[in-house]
Amino acid sequence: MISFISRVVDDIFSKQKGYENLIFVLPSQRSCVFLKEEIIKKLPTSSFLPKIISIENYIQEIGDISLIDNTQLLFEFYSIYKQNLPKENIEPFDAFYQWATIALHDFNEIDSYLVNSEVFFNNLRDVKKLEEWFQDKKPSQLAINYLQFFEYLHILYKGLNKKLKNNKFGYQGLIYKEAKNNLEFYINNNVDKHIVFVGFNALNKAEEYIIQELLNNNIASVYWDANQTIFNKFNEAGVFLRKYKSEWVYYQNNPFLWIENEEITNQNINLIGAPKNITQIKYAGELISKLENFNKTALVLADENLLTLALNSLPNNVKNINITMGYSLKDIPIASLFDAIFKLHLNQQKFNKVEEQVFYHKDVLNVLNDPFLNKLYNETLQKIGTKIKSENSIFLGLETLKKWISVTEEKELSLLFSLFDFSTDINAIITQCCSLLNELKEFVVGVEKEYLYRFYTIFQQLESLNSTYNHIADLKTLTLFYNQLLQNEKLSFQGEPLQGLQLMGMLETRALDFETVIITSVNEGILPAGKNDFSFIPYDIKKHFGLPTYQEKDAIFSYHFQRLLMRAKNIYLIYNTENDGYGSGEKSRFLTQLEINNPSITKTIISPKVQHIEVPLIQIEKTEEVLQKLKEVFIKGISPSALATYIYNPVSFYEQKVLGIYEDDEVEEIIAANTMGSVIHDVLEEMYLPYLNKFLKKENIAEMQKKCNFLLTKYFGKHYLKGNVQTGKNKLIFEVSKNLINRFLKQEMQLLNENKQLKIIALEEKLNTEIIVEGVNFPINLRGIVDRIDELDGVTRIIDYKTGKVEANQLKIYDFSVISEDYKYTKAMQVLLYSYLYTSKINRQISPLQSGVISFKNLNSGFIKMNFSDKFRGTDYEVTDERIQDFMVQIKNLIYEISDPAVPFIENKNLPF
């Protein structure tokens, strides 16, 4: 394969005798590097290199004006905005920013395409009037403001242009316009030069004018990269080249220099569909791993956001790589630290907590858990984090944090704590951030030092801009510009540009050729980008004034795509087969066009190889230490809920009872179900406590109903630490709890209305007894707390309150052997154990005795009793001594299994939840 650049150099050197007077202008810095290498190969060793420059830098030379930084441009624009608008119409900087970036984009296009601004803005204003003004006889204030905005837009445009030109700065479009104005001077001073434009396609009006003038003065040549297919009148890729060939006056008498590539036969073209971005990139990595030489291979990311993923997916055999895209600072870990710090204060303002000087707990934890800060203060930060969770502090202040640590620890954290106390002075905030970076640099090595330095320069830039313009008035605006700088700033990779794999974006491929090309994300909306209305200018006006629309932009990418494939031998085009959530994202139409023109294309749909790995169940043998711990647990006392945990999953029992590991605490922002359950239990206990060992009367229930609101408030205060139950979901949960208790009390009242005798025997009764299990050489202490024991018309009832939903079938059991096998029956096990513990305590069997559950989410079922009938829909509710003894045989078997050294703790693979 002979590359386009190589052919251009051969042709130029065959026509030009001297080389020193040549100036090569190319679309990108990357193509300049490749051209330089090609010239070095072909120049005599004693020669000087001709000048090689990118189009952006070349236009700046002609225009004699420097390119302004995007952020500084916004600051300048705001200064013009404040000077030219009435005070009452001036918006704060953060509101101005929302539309200013769009306006600047439009200004750039207007100037690049040499549009007469007076005529343009008059037309734009008139179109907006037609759209908005005559909708009603009397326009609304909103319509007036809208039209006024377009009136001011021209004033702002002229003011900005004037100020930038006076300071010898400009955005890209203004530089083009100035270059056009300076062109005659430039030509007169460079008559001895010959400018060679290489590899261009879509030119803006300013570029068209400049290149044509240089051609007409015979001091330039243009080499276009195309083939006959691109020149086909139905091919959108050739829209611009066909136009230049037919319309430029120069080409009526001079040849159109375009490089026809040699006919490449047997191109190996592969279309690969892959689900999701990660599969695309991983597959690209697999393709690269099979290659022996990468020097003529390009991995092109149509979606440049996949750079990080691509870097992590490159195979080990890639020793040399050249990356044209910078690594965005927003993807660097240190970015998350400042995001967390700014969010801490912005949310404080959002929640109106500035005067109280408290912060939202999640924001505090985000700061405390940052990996960079943990390099400095790991143990102290974790200590504070644990305390926040245990105290259930939803909002907390700096003084609270300091109370939880020692004086020495507080001194160590002085810099960190200063970040919780931001000044109202923006420059002081920036200084605090710089101080943090200075302290962190002592604890990092390697590339992390570079990260910190780049962030340091960002804050220095913000400080410099604010000192000059004084537009950053608050933290919100500072965060806005910090994020914009983060978006624009990139870490440049160092590497040998002419060796190894070339990893680049689509625009970087201009004028370059490769033997093997791998392109990812070849989908509609990415390649081509489609309609992106980042403009105030309507489509019709754009067309009238010759400004680019989405159609021209699609044609540009069509050209880049087809040109890149022209000389490649092996082509792999990978697209995402998965649509996004809005139904878009199908494969690019460029691929469909390829399929029509090349029937021999190989088409493949791939998917990740899913290996079925048999993960062995966790199995924990019972060592001497484990058995000793179990002995301690059983002697101290084992509860029905602990036995239920073992039935649910033996490994969970091992973690909780042997290792003492429980789930980490979380700050309870919204009342949890178990908290609600604890509150209802405590409220009912206090309500019924005055009537212990008494028969209830109707007036007693009425008294309880009056206390409901007060007791709920009291016990939510106890169990829901520092929580607010007056608003949001918590208010709803409070009301639900009140409703459940009142419904329950109404049921109690209904019993009394039916002249039933209800006597409360015990509340929250703590029960325990020792049992001997055959084969276990120590006594087992069974313990539990019964929510309520009462007597209804002579029947003793053992009752467990459940705030969750319990169905009658969970308490119907006639074969006790299923209890240790099925978690469904753990509630039955619980109430039967309470029956055993109670009868053991009073040392006699009660008859009649019933045990069961009152489910607050199934209150219509009332008291759900243990049912021992083996018949369908049969009932047998009495808890007899014989049944208790049969049940206890199974409990002893279960306890023996837990303590048996020969039976390991084996994970339950069929967990019900």
Side-chain angles (χ1 to χ4, degrees):
M1 177 197 74
I2 302 173
S3 70
F4 166 68
I5 284 177
S6 178
R7 291 179 173 214
V8 169
V9 172
D10 287 343
D11 193 64
I12 283 288
F13 282 8
S14 68
K15 294 175 181 176
Q16 298 289 329
K17 293 178 181 177
Y19 311 120
E20 291 83 1
N21 70 328
L22 290 175
I23 299 174
F24 285 91
V25 182
L26 291 100
S28 67
Q29 291 287 2
R30 177 46 43 91
S31 52
C32 291
V33 174
F34 276 79
L35 178 70
K36 179 182 175 182
E37 179 67 13
E38 201 63 44
I39 290 174
I40 289 171
K41 288 178 190 174
K42 295 174 180 178
L43 266 182
T45 52
S46 59
S47 302
F48 287 102
L49 271 176
K51 184 174 182 177
I52 302 170
I53 190 170
S54 70
I55 185 68
E56 286 86 359
N57 292 335
Y58 180 66
I59 297 296
Q60 282 184 53
E61 281 190 8
I62 298 175
D64 190 26
I65 187 170
S66 300
L67 182 66
I68 192 171
D69 171 75
N70 284 336
T71 308
Q72 188 179 352
L73 177 61
L74 268 171
F75 277 77
E76 289 283 9
F77 191 26
Y78 192 58
S79 298
I80 298 296
Y81 173 75
K82 287 171 74 176
Q83 289 168 17
N84 287 279
L85 261 72
K87 275 190 177 180
E88 63 272 13
N89 290 0
I90 293 174
E91 296 177 314
F93 200 93
D94 58 315
F96 162 82
Y97 171 83
Q98 305 299 324
W99 59 265
T101 48
I102 302 174
L104 288 171
H105 174 266
D106 288 339
F107 293 172
N108 187 60
E109 286 199 336
I110 290 165
D111 286 343
S112 298
Y113 283 81
L114 306 178
V115 174
N116 183 315
S117 64
E118 292 287 341
V119 177
F120 175 83
F121 281 105
N122 284 340
N123 271 267
L124 182 62
R125 182 196 59 209
D126 292 342
V127 166
K128 293 300 174 184
K129 278 185 178 180
L130 287 171
E131 285 179 355
E132 297 290 337
W133 196 271
F134 298 111
Q135 298 296 318
D136 301 298
K137 291 180 182 178
K138 186 178 179 183
S140 66
Q141 188 60 45
L142 183 65
I144 293 169
N145 292 343
Y146 182 65
L147 288 168
Q148 202 172 48
F149 169 77
F150 286 96
E151 296 275 2
Y152 286 132
L153 211 52
H154 190 204
I155 297 168
L156 297 176
Y157 166 82
K158 290 193 293 186
L160 182 64
N161 266 243
K162 183 179 178 182
K163 185 173 183 181
L164 290 176
K165 282 193 282 188
N166 288 342
N167 294 330
K168 284 285 187 181
F169 277 107
Y171 50 84
Q172 197 175 59
L174 182 57
I175 293 171
Y176 273 111
K177 192 164 74 171
E178 285 301 293
K180 183 249 182 187
N181 296 334
N182 286 355
L183 189 58
E184 185 179 349
F185 176 81
Y186 175 82
I187 290 171
N188 292 335
N189 283 277
N190 289 275
V191 289
D192 59 332
K193 303 291 185 188
H194 190 81
I195 300 102
V196 184
F197 293 91
V198 180
F200 288 90
N201 169 44
L203 304 172
N204 59 43
K205 285 279 172 48
E207 288 170 333
E208 279 191 56
Y209 178 87
I210 290 166
I211 292 174
Q212 285 189 77
E213 285 298 304
L214 294 171
L215 286 171
N216 293 335
N217 282 276
N218 293 315
I219 62 169
S221 304
V222 184
Y223 285 86
W224 310 98
D225 188 9
N227 61 12
Q228 194 58 53
T229 305
I230 287 176
F231 275 102
N232 186 310
K233 68 177 181 179
F234 297 110
N235 191 342
E236 68 176 339
V239 165
F240 300 100
L241 297 185
R242 292 194 299 271
K243 174 189 166 190
Y244 306 148
K245 187 178 180 182
S246 63
E247 294 182 5
W248 285 12
V249 175
Y250 176 81
Y251 288 127
Q252 292 176 6
N253 302 309
N254 294 281
F256 188 82
L257 299 176
W258 59 287
I259 303 296
E260 171 69 273
N261 61 295
E262 79 252 28
E263 190 66 32
I264 295 205
T265 56
N266 300 320
Q267 270 189 319
N268 174 27
I269 304 176
N270 299 271
L271 305 191
I272 301 117
K276 301 294 181 184
N277 291 332
I278 189 155
T279 313
Q280 292 185 74
I281 298 297
K282 291 294 181 187
Y283 184 71
E286 283 186 23
L287 289 173
I288 293 166
S289 69
K290 295 171 185 174
L291 301 175
E292 294 179 4
N293 183 9
F294 308 111
N295 284 347
K296 293 184 179 180
T297 301
L299 172 57
V300 181
L301 304 181
D303 181 359
E304 295 187 15
N305 292 318
L306 302 184
L307 175 61
T308 307
L309 187 56
L311 291 176
N312 288 316
S313 303
L314 291 174
N316 293 329
N317 62 328
V318 177
K319 303 302 179 189
N320 294 311
I321 181 171
N322 185 44
I323 304 166
T324 65
M325 297 171 282
Y327 191 72
S328 179
L329 290 191
K330 67 182 175 61
D331 295 329
I332 290 172
I334 188 69
S336 62
L337 170 58
F338 290 103
D339 284 342
I341 292 168
F342 291 145
K343 192 175 179 183
L344 180 81
H345 292 278
L346 290 173
N347 278 347
Q348 186 191 43
Q349 295 170 11
K350 179 182 172 183
F351 295 136
N352 296 318
K353 298 292 182 181
V354 177
E355 289 185 11
E356 297 175 46
Q357 293 185 317
V358 293
F359 303 93
Y360 184 47
H361 73 278
K362 285 186 179 177
D363 297 329
V364 176
L365 287 170
N366 282 342
V367 173
L368 299 183
N369 290 332
D370 183 83
F372 276 92
L373 290 180
N374 275 269
K375 288 184 178 183
L376 281 95
Y377 325 108
N378 179 269
E379 289 184 10
T380 312
L381 297 186
Q382 295 309 312
K383 179 178 174 181
I384 296 172
T386 304
K387 199 71 177 170
I388 289 171
K389 293 171 184 177
S390 63
E391 292 283 325
N392 203 52
S393 304
I394 296 170
F395 287 96
L396 61 157
L398 190 55
E399 291 307 313
T400 307
L401 299 182
K402 291 178 179 178
K403 284 178 189 174
W404 294 335
I405 56 176
S406 66
V407 176
T408 309
E409 289 170 328
E410 185 183 329
K411 287 179 181 176
E412 286 177 6
L413 295 179
S414 57
L415 179 62
L416 172 63
F417 284 156
S418 72
L419 296 171
F420 283 78
D421 187 21
F422 266 4
S423 168
T424 51
D425 177 17
I426 295 301
N427 285 337
I429 294 174
I430 294 171
T431 303
Q432 285 176 284
C433 294
C434 290
S435 300
L436 177 63
L437 288 167
N438 270 324
E439 187 157 333
L440 282 171
K441 75 180 181 183
E442 305 300 327
F443 296 86
V444 298
V445 291
V447 73
E448 287 184 341
K449 263 191 164 51
E450 177 68 18
Y451 294 165
L452 294 182
Y453 174 71
R454 291 304 297 272
F455 274 84
Y456 186 83
T457 58
I458 281 179
F459 285 112
Q460 291 294 304
Q461 188 178 351
L462 285 168
E463 185 176 31
S464 173
L465 286 168
N466 199 42
S467 299
T468 307
Y469 299 96
N470 198 31
H471 292 335
I472 305 178
D474 53 40
L475 182 62
K476 185 178 178 183
T477 309
L478 175 66
T479 308
L480 195 78
F481 277 99
Y482 161 79
N483 285 324
Q484 193 200 356
L485 284 172
L486 222 58
Q487 294 281 350
N488 295 334
E489 290 288 319
K490 296 182 187 296
L491 273 177
S492 298
F493 291 97
Q494 291 184 341
E496 176 50 57
L498 300 163
Q499 286 184 15
L501 177 70
Q502 301 288 324
L503 177 55
M504 54 182 63
M506 201 68 197
L507 289 177
E508 290 296 327
T509 65
R510 289 174 291 181
L512 304 182
D513 295 304
F514 304 94
E515 286 189 1
T516 301
V517 174
I518 302 167
I519 310 180
T520 63
S521 304
V522 190
N523 287 78
E524 284 295 315
I526 299 173
L527 193 67
K531 297 181 183 179
N532 292 316
D533 293 328
F534 190 70
S535 173
F536 289 124
I537 307 169
Y539 176 84
D540 292 340
I541 288 189
K542 282 192 172 189
K543 290 296 281 186
H544 177 74
F545 284 95
L547 294 175
T549 65
Y550 70 90
Q551 292 170 317
E552 283 75 24
K553 289 168 187 173
D554 284 1
I556 290 169
F557 277 95
S558 179
Y559 171 81
H560 292 327
F561 179 76
Q562 292 185 37
R563 193 216 63 79
L564 181 60
L565 306 188
M566 275 194 321
R567 299 177 186 90
K569 290 181 181 176
N570 299 303
I571 300 164
Y572 301 93
L573 306 170
I574 309 172
Y575 63 93
N576 187 354
T577 58
E578 300 298 304
N579 292 342
D580 64 19
Y582 302 99
S584 63
E586 70 271 15
K587 72 178 181 181
S588 172
R589 63 175 180 270
F590 296 167
L591 298 185
T592 308
Q593 291 163 4
L594 263 181
E595 288 179 71
I596 293 168
N597 296 327
N598 299 272
S600 61
I601 282 178
T602 304
K603 290 178 277 188
T604 313
I605 300 293
I606 64 165
S607 60
K609 186 183 288 183
V610 180
Q611 295 180 336
H612 182 66
I613 301 172
E614 281 290 340
V615 180
L617 294 175
I618 298 171
Q619 187 165 313
I620 300 154
E621 301 297 329
K622 291 171 183 168
T623 62
E624 286 299 322
E625 291 84 353
V626 172
L627 291 169
Q628 180 58 36
K629 184 64 181 175
L630 283 172
K631 180 178 178 181
E632 292 171 14
V633 168
F634 280 119
I635 290 174
K636 182 181 177 183
I638 191 88
S639 67
S641 59
L643 294 175
T645 301
Y646 181 83
I647 294 167
Y648 177 73
N649 188 2
V651 171
S652 297
F653 178 88
Y654 167 77
E655 289 170 346
Q656 293 177 17
K657 296 301 175 184
V658 178
L659 300 181
I661 298 173
Y662 292 86
E663 286 187 11
D664 190 20
D665 283 339
E666 294 292 339
V667 174
E668 193 179 335
E669 230 179 305
I670 295 169
I671 297 165
N674 60 338
T675 303
M676 176 180 162
S678 300
V679 169
I680 290 175
H681 277 68
D682 285 1
V683 168
L684 290 175
E685 181 189 5
E686 185 161 337
M687 280 180 169
Y688 281 91
L689 202 57
Y691 312 107
L692 204 56
N693 292 313
K694 296 178 182 176
F695 285 98
L696 282 178
K697 298 177 181 176
K698 293 177 186 178
E699 51 267 30
N700 300 149
I701 303 295
E703 282 297 316
M704 292 182 201
Q705 288 171 327
K706 290 176 186 175
K707 293 180 182 177
C708 184
N709 213 65
F710 167 76
L711 291 176
L712 274 172
T713 305
K714 172 183 173 181
Y715 285 107
F716 268 118
K718 173 187 172 184
H719 291 284
Y720 183 48
L721 295 174
K722 302 177 184 176
N724 174 24
V725 293
Q726 302 304 316
T727 57
K729 286 186 179 179
N730 289 343
K731 175 66 173 172
L732 295 176
I733 292 167
F734 181 92
E735 293 299 326
V736 166
S737 303
K738 184 162 75 173
N739 178 264
L740 291 175
I741 291 171
N742 282 327
R743 281 182 64 203
F744 173 68
L745 293 175
K746 282 180 182 177
Q747 285 189 346
E748 298 281 86
M749 183 71 84
Q750 183 64 33
L751 290 175
L752 300 179
N753 285 337
E754 294 170 4
N755 295 319
K756 293 185 181 292
Q757 298 294 306
L758 180 61
K759 180 182 180 182
I760 304 299
I761 298 171
L763 297 166
E764 299 296 324
E765 181 83 353
K766 293 180 180 177
L767 304 171
N768 69 289
T769 189
E770 276 191 4
I771 62 169
I772 302 298
V773 176
E774 191 175 340
V776 178
N777 58 3
F778 51 83
I780 307 297
N781 184 16
L782 291 177
R783 60 185 173 85
I785 301 174
V786 186
D787 292 332
R788 168 169 155 177
I789 302 170
D790 66 20
E791 184 183 296
L792 181 66
D793 285 350
V795 178
T796 303
R797 305 189 304 174
I798 293 174
I799 300 172
D800 191 39
Y801 296 137
K802 296 290 183 189
T803 44
K805 189 167 187 177
V806 180
E807 302 282 1
N809 64 354
Q810 293 172 271
L811 295 175
K812 185 173 182 180
I813 189 166
Y814 53 87
D815 178 6
F816 294 122
S817 64
V818 298
I819 280 180
S820 59
E821 298 168 4
D822 193 340
Y823 185 76
K824 171 185 175 181
Y825 296 108
T826 51
K827 294 176 180 65
M829 178 196 73
Q830 194 171 359
V831 293
L832 280 175
L833 258 178
Y834 290 152
S835 301
Y836 171 74
L837 289 171
Y838 183 62
T839 53
S840 298
K841 179 185 177 182
I842 61 174
N843 204 22
R844 65 183 178 86
Q845 175 60 33
I846 306 164
S847 184
L849 173 64
Q850 294 176 353
S851 60
V853 166
I854 290 176
S855 169
F856 282 84
K857 281 195 177 175
N858 190 12
L859 275 174
N860 290 338
S861 298
F863 176 52
I864 305 171
K865 307 165 194 173
M866 282 295 308
N867 186 355
F868 302 100
S869 174
D870 59 355
K871 295 176 182 176
F872 179 67
R873 292 188 179 176
T875 57
D876 185 353
Y877 300 129
E878 189 166 355
V879 180
T880 63
D881 184 52
E882 184 182 354
R883 283 171 177 160
I884 289 177
Q885 295 310 316
D886 289 346
F887 162 74
M888 286 307 297
V889 169
Q890 298 303 322
I891 293 298
K892 288 177 180 179
N893 289 341
L894 183 62
I895 291 170
Y896 177 77
E897 180 185 309
I898 296 171
S899 57
D900 187 356
V903 180
F905 294 109
I906 301 174
E907 180 186 12
N908 180 4
K909 67 177 180 180
N910 298 314
L911 295 177
F913 307 112

